Amino acid sequence: MAEPLHDSPVPASPRGPDAPPLSANSGQSANLEIRSGPPPMSEELKARLDKVIYSDIGITTLLTRLKQSVASARDFSTFLKKRSSLEEEHAQGLRKLSRSLYDAAHRPDNRQGTYGQSHNDLNRFHDRMADHGLQFAVSLQQMADDLHELASNIERGRKQWKQTGLSAEKRVLEAEASAEKAKAKYESLAEQYERVKTGDKAGGKFGLKGHKSAAQHEEELHRKVQNADSDYAAKVQAAQAARQELVSTHRPQAVHNMQQLISECDSGLTLQLQKFATFNEKLLLGQGLSISPLKDGTNSAIAPKSLYEVIQTIDNQKDYNEYILSHENNPAAIASEQIKYERHPTLGGSGPVVPASQPSTQNKRQSILPQSFSTQQLPPSQPSSQTPAPSSQPHPYPQGPDSYASPSFQQPPYPTNSGPPAPEKVPLNAAPTAPQPSPLPPPSNTFQSHLPPLKPVFGISLDELYERDGTAVPMIVYQCFQAIELFGLDMEGIYRLSGSANHINQMKSLFDNDSSQVDFTNPENFYHDVNSVAGLLKQFFRDLPDPLFTSQSYSDFINAARIDDDVKRRDSLHALVNNLPDAHYATLRAVILHLNKIQEHYTQNRMNAGNIAICFGPTLLSASTGGNIADAGWQVRVIETVLVNTFQIFDDD
């Protein structure tokens, strides 16, 4: 039985700084020189081992041990093969990755200079590391093949000696079994002969048979006993000879050969393990020396650089300066002159330059009005030649382009309702509201005369607006939604309270002139009067030639509203809404989503789905056609059902 090898202690010899490093092979040779063989086996241990291996279970025990050695060799061979594949894949991938980084570093869109130069050395480092990895993979593959071949040869020898050794053991067992059988026959005949001689008839099957006498029968039994004795003696002698041959020849031969196979397999496996350790050391040492070569201390200028030293050569500031200076001769590398403000001579010659840092405070509303409306006009009761008396109250709106710069300007609190309430049609069940005084001066009645209806929107069908403007939802609807959602979501009674008729007419003139120039994100453009914006929106829908729900589908919507079951009524209205023309469907969807936001703020504006439906039922279903006053309740029910089921009806949009 092989004992593990032990290295005898060796004193470490001092090495100077200039001494060359020990290679993996030299280190291995040194280790092999100082290693001693296995310690001598004691007589007691040898006797104990021989007692087992030369016993009847010796061959089976050695066969099992040999099978374990073969299995271990095959397992390590499989490990080496897989490790070789991994190392080869890693080395190839490392080389490919390094090459891709090298190519990327030399593209024009990457940094150049010292950074690009460092990638030349960086690529060489990775190439050397990949070479070491590939050599390691090749060595592991060769080791795996050798170990696999060794295991196959040992397995063939094991099968051969299994058959030879067990056959000899089997022959001995058969001979001994035959001797035992002859012994049993001999003893049985001897007992019968003894009973015949003594005349004892009770103990067996003895009796006269045929014409033979007792003397004849005794003589016959005596002859059988002698024959059985001779046969028994011969078989015992044969069994002894077979065992002697087994113990002296067959068993020692089988034991010796199987011990050799075990030793060969274990030694081969140990050798490959030692080579595996050596190759790992060489791999790590080679990669380490590739990354950080040893310095001999004589001439550091020509010595190969380490990876750290290569990285240290990157000069970020130098690369930056070189790149910037490479554009020094570019004709465009000059500072552009600052742009200057020059007023046109027709407007009074050159005026003061407005600093670029100060944003213009010109009212957006004035950008879409004629110049005559850029200042507030006098009330009709005063002659135009008289100058109005100064008032202690600051004017709520700017009087000209520079009026916003005046420190005396104070913006009125928002929201503000100005002017008397318009005689607007009050929705059903809506409580009349008293007009609220406004601090704003009434706008001029000559406003509309200066804004011709270049692109009218009131009284034009949704299909015509869609075809003309290219937007499914008219701009006036979009602007009104913006104003109300920005400034009126929490205003109590929105869409129920009336606005100013003058404000509505002036805003109507604006949209009929050019709706694309109107911006309601600035509350000054609608006089801070959100209720007038709501009235303007309802006026637009009342003036449509064909109502939003269309005259053609009016009776279908009313019939659907008569359905008592909530789910069936919702599904019927859903189907009718889907059948509306594109412009009507898109506008209705925008209206319902907007009104849903209004009802979400019910706690502030007091407008729930029922109140909103009362305001919009007649407006959206039968504004231009008049409809039947008896259908007013069903019209309200249509709007309320659609509004309550907003995201069920428009879920796919």
Side-chain angles (χ1 to χ4, degrees):
M1 183 175 182
E3 294 291 333
L5 297 177
H6 298 281
D7 294 339
S8 59
V10 178
S13 59
R15 293 176 53 83
D18 298 334
L22 287 176
S23 64
N25 291 331
S26 62
Q28 184 183 10
S29 301
N31 290 337
L32 291 177
E33 291 176 359
I34 63 177
R35 284 177 180 172
S36 60
M41 186 181 301
S42 64
E43 293 295 333
E44 180 185 0
L45 178 60
K46 186 176 183 302
R48 291 171 58 190
L49 293 175
D50 291 343
K51 180 181 178 181
V52 176
I53 62 178
Y54 289 108
S55 65
D56 293 342
I57 63 171
I59 292 180
T60 56
T61 303
L62 291 175
L63 286 172
T64 303
R65 176 62 177 80
L66 182 57
K67 187 176 182 180
Q68 293 177 349
S69 297
V70 172
S72 299
R74 284 179 172 172
D75 290 342
F76 191 64
S77 174
T78 303
F79 165 78
L80 291 175
K81 186 175 182 180
K82 292 183 178 180
R83 176 71 185 275
S84 174
S85 300
L86 291 176
E87 293 293 338
E88 182 179 5
E89 182 180 358
H90 174 265
Q92 296 290 359
L94 179 63
R95 176 171 291 175
K96 183 178 180 181
L97 180 63
S98 173
R99 188 63 187 178
S100 63
L101 179 62
Y102 174 82
D103 295 339
H106 288 77
R107 287 200 298 264
D109 55 347
N110 275 10
R111 283 180 57 184
Q112 302 299 320
T114 58
Y115 176 80
Q117 295 172 2
S118 67
H119 276 275
N120 297 332
D121 295 329
L122 188 62
N123 185 61
R124 284 195 292 271
F125 280 117
H126 285 92
D127 281 341
R128 288 197 293 268
M129 293 172 63
D131 290 339
H132 285 292
L134 290 175
Q135 293 175 3
F136 181 61
V138 172
S139 301
L140 292 183
Q141 183 62 43
Q142 184 62 42
M143 291 167 55
D145 295 339
D146 294 344
L147 196 55
H148 180 73
E149 183 179 1
L150 174 65
S152 299
N153 293 334
I154 297 298
E155 179 63 20
R156 285 193 295 269
R158 187 188 74 85
K159 291 180 178 180
Q160 176 184 353
W161 286 107
K162 177 182 179 181
Q163 181 179 3
T164 302
L166 293 182
S167 297
E169 295 281 349
K170 184 178 180 181
R171 287 195 299 270
V172 172
L173 293 177
E174 290 177 351
E176 291 178 348
S178 178
E180 290 292 333
K181 187 177 180 181
K183 178 182 178 181
K185 182 179 179 181
Y186 167 71
E187 290 179 350
S188 176
L189 291 174
E191 289 178 359
Q192 292 181 15
Y193 177 70
E194 183 68 21
R195 286 195 296 270
V196 170
K197 287 178 63 177
T198 58
D200 185 8
K201 300 180 181 180
K205 299 180 180 180
F206 171 73
L208 296 178
K209 184 178 180 181
H211 58 279
K212 292 182 180 180
S213 62
Q216 291 176 343
H217 190 65
E218 180 180 353
E219 183 180 358
E220 183 179 359
L221 285 176
H222 180 68
R223 187 174 60 253
K224 289 182 178 180
V225 170
Q226 289 180 343
N227 293 335
D229 179 64
S230 300
D231 182 63
Y232 171 54
K235 289 185 177 179
V236 169
Q237 185 178 2
Q240 291 176 349
R243 176 163 289 278
Q244 182 64 28
E245 184 180 7
L246 172 66
V247 172
S248 61
T249 304
H250 296 297
R251 181 176 289 174
Q253 186 179 7
V255 167
H256 175 71
N257 284 278
M258 282 190 288
Q259 282 181 328
Q260 283 188 339
L261 291 176
I262 293 173
S263 177
E264 182 181 357
C265 186
D266 292 347
S267 299
L269 178 59
T270 303
L271 176 62
Q272 299 301 334
L273 286 169
Q274 292 175 352
K275 291 171 65 176
F276 178 71
T278 302
F279 289 149
N280 273 280
E281 292 175 358
K282 291 178 64 177
L283 172 66
L284 297 178
L285 182 61
Q287 290 184 345
L289 292 176
S290 298
I291 295 175
S292 181
L294 294 176
K295 308 291 185 180
D296 55 5
T298 57
N299 190 354
S300 59
I302 61 175
K305 295 181 180 180
S306 66
L307 178 60
Y308 182 79
E309 292 172 342
V310 169
I311 301 302
Q312 288 294 102
T313 60
I314 300 177
D315 190 340
N316 294 331
Q317 188 62 42
K318 180 180 179 182
D319 293 347
Y320 171 79
N321 295 340
E322 289 180 353
Y323 176 77
I324 298 300
L325 293 178
S326 65
H327 296 76
E328 186 177 11
N329 297 325
N330 192 324
I334 57 175
S336 302
E337 296 182 359
Q338 186 177 6
I339 189 171
K340 297 180 180 180
Y341 171 77
E342 296 180 0
R343 176 175 289 182
H344 196 273
T346 59
L347 299 179
S350 60
V353 178
V354 180
S357 61
Q358 297 181 0
S360 175
T361 58
Q362 183 70 18
N363 191 353
K364 293 183 180 180
R365 170 71 183 277
Q366 295 177 357
S367 64
I368 61 173
L369 297 180
Q371 186 176 357
S372 60
F373 288 93
S374 62
T375 59
Q376 186 70 28
Q377 297 184 2
L378 297 175
S381 61
Q382 296 181 355
S384 60
S385 61
Q386 296 180 359
T387 303
S391 173
S392 60
Q393 296 291 336
H395 203 283
Y397 284 95
Q399 301 300 313
D402 300 330
S403 60
Y404 280 103
S406 174
S408 63
F409 171 74
Q410 297 180 1
Q411 185 173 352
Y414 184 81
T416 304
N417 292 331
S418 60
E424 183 180 351
K425 181 179 179 181
V426 180
L428 296 178
N429 301 330
T433 57
Q436 300 180 4
S438 172
L440 301 178
S444 172
N445 292 331
T446 61
F447 184 89
Q448 299 182 29
S449 62
H450 295 276
L451 293 177
L454 301 179
K455 297 175 66 176
V457 295
F458 284 83
I460 308 298
S461 67
L462 294 176
D463 293 333
E464 293 179 9
L465 291 176
Y466 184 18
E467 183 178 356
R468 185 190 71 188
D469 299 336
T471 57
V473 180
M475 183 58 66
I476 182 175
V477 176
Y478 172 74
Q479 290 292 340
C480 291
F481 286 171
Q482 276 198 121
I484 294 172
E485 291 177 6
L486 288 174
F487 307 106
L489 281 180
D490 296 333
M491 182 176 293
E492 184 174 352
I494 186 66
Y495 285 119
R496 180 171 57 83
L497 299 179
S498 302
S500 169
N502 288 335
H503 292 171
I504 293 175
N505 290 332
Q506 292 180 19
M507 290 186 290
K508 179 180 178 182
S509 178
L510 282 176
F511 281 102
D512 276 337
N513 178 260
D514 189 356
S515 59
S516 64
Q517 300 298 321
V518 183
D519 181 14
F520 273 4
T521 58
N522 184 357
E524 295 177 357
N525 291 339
F526 54 85
Y527 311 101
H528 296 266
D529 189 359
V530 180
N531 286 327
S532 293
V533 175
L536 177 70
L537 180 64
K538 291 191 289 184
Q539 183 66 42
F540 170 76
F541 286 115
R542 282 195 294 266
D543 290 350
L544 286 176
D546 191 18
L548 184 59
F549 283 83
T550 70
S551 302
Q552 182 180 358
S553 303
Y554 175 79
S555 58
D556 295 332
F557 279 105
I558 297 300
N559 292 333
R562 299 177 189 273
I563 301 175
D564 294 331
D565 185 83
D566 294 339
V567 176
K568 293 182 179 179
R569 182 171 67 255
R570 179 201 66 191
D571 294 342
S572 299
L573 292 174
H574 190 180
L576 293 173
V577 168
N578 287 339
N579 291 330
L580 290 175
D582 292 343
H584 289 254
Y585 177 85
T587 305
L588 175 62
R589 177 180 179 273
V591 169
I592 296 301
L593 293 177
H594 166 71
L595 296 180
N596 184 66
K597 294 181 181 178
I598 299 295
Q599 73 167 348
E600 288 177 351
H601 291 71
Y602 164 72
T603 55
Q604 290 82 22
N605 57 37
R606 305 299 180 186
M607 294 297 290
N608 57 16
N611 294 337
I612 295 174
I614 292 174
C615 296
F616 277 91
T619 301
L620 300 182
L621 272 90
S622 62
S624 60
T625 59
N628 190 349
I629 191 63
D631 295 338
W634 304 120
Q635 296 171 358
V636 172
R637 195 173 189 182
V638 169
I639 302 300
E640 184 176 6
T641 302
V642 175
L643 188 56
V644 170
N645 298 279
T646 298
F647 298 106
Q648 285 77 26
I649 293 179
F650 298 102
D651 54 349
D652 293 333
D653 297 78

